[in-house]
Amino acid sequence: MIRSTLRRALIGAAFGIAALALPAGAQQAYPSRTITVVVPFAAGGPTDTVTRLVAEAMSRDLGQTVVVENVGGAGGTLGAARVAQARPDGYTLLMHHIGMGTTPTLYRRLSYDPVGGFETIGLVTEVPMTIIARKDIPAANLQELAALVRKETTKLNYANAGIGAASHLCGLLLQKAIDAPMTTVPYRGTGPAMTDLIAGTVDLMCDQTTNTTEQIRAGAVKVFAVTTPQRLPSLPDVPTTAEGGLPGMEVTIWHGLYAPKGTPEEIRLRLSRALQVALRAPALIQRFADLGTAPVAQDRATPEAHRAFWQADIAKWRPVIQAAGQYAD
Ligand code: ASP
């Protein structure tokens, strides 16, 4: 009895030593458990929709479940903070959008480093925007809408996902193009904002086609324009902003996948490979197309291409925000 206990203890110790002697990577191949992708906006919105499609396709390649966690609020900065402060082990990731380009200048006081706090995995998609309104708004086209905004100004309100959100930026561009102010109504994401727009409790919104296409087709909201130089095959009857009389009001919203700073290179490359596989999946491409978008080219779904694009976007927005002198704090 004593001898067999001793024997078990010795065998146990030997296994322990053997496990310690194994090189780190050989102990458990990555990924060995569920991966969480934080969406810094509410469920049901466009970033959430894109992320769920990508997460599902990536999980097939990674052989592990990839779950989405919505951490909305403060223009996406709460969710970004959560990931910047997470363990850099490849199990907590961030899917964000153009806000990663504007936040470093817009927000001067943050609890995390909005640039140095992250590693890039790859770009995902660039999504057109649509200008939409509650369906009973008394305007039949973009010109009439512009006239209404000039007449009513701050009596009209536009929903957005907080300062620095895509919907906020697009709303600013719209007000500048029309040359009249409106009242801002912030939400934790444009998923819940859409619910209020359909109910008619807010007047206007400018949001990604990944949130608006189905509501436009269903007639739940009134659409005025797409913010691209050409019409979209998914919404062929909707005029462009230029056709509607607001030339130059063009904007698309890029999305990228991030990991916390310090995530090992082999993990980042594994994730990047899985992202590239996901973006080639026929079902994902089809769903993206139905929602008015497309995956980026494969060579853009890499850490280097993503970082270069992100840095250029920060440099593009910095002078614009500084000239406007409007900060989030
Ligand atoms: N479309 C939102 C934005 O305005 C975010 C979201 O809910 O995905 O940035």
Side-chain angles (χ1 to χ4, degrees):
M1 175 73 170
I2 293 173
R3 274 180 53 193
S4 73
T5 309
L6 183 65
R7 204 166 136 254
R8 274 205 301 276
L10 284 173
I11 292 170
F15 272 117
I17 289 163
L20 284 177
L22 285 172
Q27 283 184 11
Q28 259 184 341
Y30 173 85
S32 62
R33 59 184 169 85
T34 298
I35 296 171
T36 299
V37 183
V38 171
V39 167
F41 299 104
T47 312
D48 183 69
T49 297
V50 162
T51 309
R52 284 175 198 276
L53 292 168
V54 171
E56 196 201 329
M58 280 180 76
S59 76
R60 278 195 292 277
D61 185 62
L62 292 165
Q64 290 292 341
T65 310
V66 182
V67 298
V68 173
E69 187 184 334
N70 299 90
V71 184
T77 57
L78 299 183
R82 158 111 158 64
V83 177
Q85 288 151 6
R87 280 173 66 121
D89 57 8
Y91 292 101
T92 309
L93 309 176
L94 173 72
M95 180 77 86
H96 207 330
H97 64 17
I98 194 168
M100 288 295 277
T102 56
T103 296
T105 313
L106 267 177
Y107 286 78
R108 290 175 296 186
R109 277 185 283 277
L110 285 170
S111 62
Y112 66 99
D113 182 343
V115 183
F118 302 94
E119 309 278 2
T120 48
I121 307 289
L123 292 166
V124 175
T125 179
E126 287 193 53
V127 188
M129 303 286 271
T130 45
I131 300 171
I132 55 174
R134 62 180 158 81
K135 62 175 185 288
D136 57 353
I137 200 146
N141 53 47
L142 196 53
Q143 282 307 309
E144 288 185 22
L145 183 73
L148 185 71
V149 174
R150 286 191 198 104
K151 180 164 150 263
E152 302 285 341
T153 63
T154 52
K155 271 184 257 153
L156 287 178
N157 53 42
Y158 82 99
N160 68 35
I163 296 179
S167 45
H168 174 245
L169 296 172
C170 191
L172 291 180
L173 291 177
L174 181 64
Q175 290 173 92
K176 190 160 179 280
I178 292 177
D179 196 21
M182 286 182 278
T183 300
T184 303
V185 184
Y187 289 80
R188 283 182 304 109
T190 46
M194 178 63 93
T195 307
D196 278 6
L197 193 71
I198 292 169
T201 53
V202 284
D203 298 311
L204 273 120
M205 183 159 75
C206 184
D207 201 26
Q208 290 108 297
T209 54
T210 34
N211 192 29
T212 63
T213 302
E214 286 173 350
Q215 306 302 346
I216 291 168
R217 285 197 194 127
V221 293
K222 196 181 271 185
V223 63
F224 292 91
V226 291
T227 65
T228 42
Q230 267 89 42
R231 289 190 182 203
L232 303 177
S234 50
L235 292 169
D237 301 333
V238 179
T240 64
T241 35
E243 285 178 288
L246 297 181
M249 209 216 126
E250 282 159 14
V251 59
T252 55
I253 302 305
W254 60 276
H255 293 264
L257 188 63
Y258 302 80
K261 180 80 188 166
T263 304
E265 190 186 12
E266 66 271 19
I267 291 181
R268 284 187 280 126
L269 293 178
R270 178 69 192 93
L271 287 166
S272 183
R273 237 176 32 241
L275 175 63
Q276 288 161 18
V277 171
L279 296 183
R280 285 198 299 267
L284 179 138
I285 295 171
Q286 183 57 53
R287 186 72 186 129
F288 270 26
D290 289 346
L291 296 175
T293 194
V296 294
Q298 292 277 294
D299 61 354
R300 299 181 73 204
T302 61
E304 303 74 39
H306 181 185
R307 181 159 290 278
F309 185 85
W310 178 29
Q311 276 166 354
D313 208 54
I314 294 171
K316 178 176 119 187
W317 283 104
R318 190 179 298 121
V320 179
I321 295 165
Q322 284 170 343
Q326 284 177 7
Y327 297 95
D329 41 56

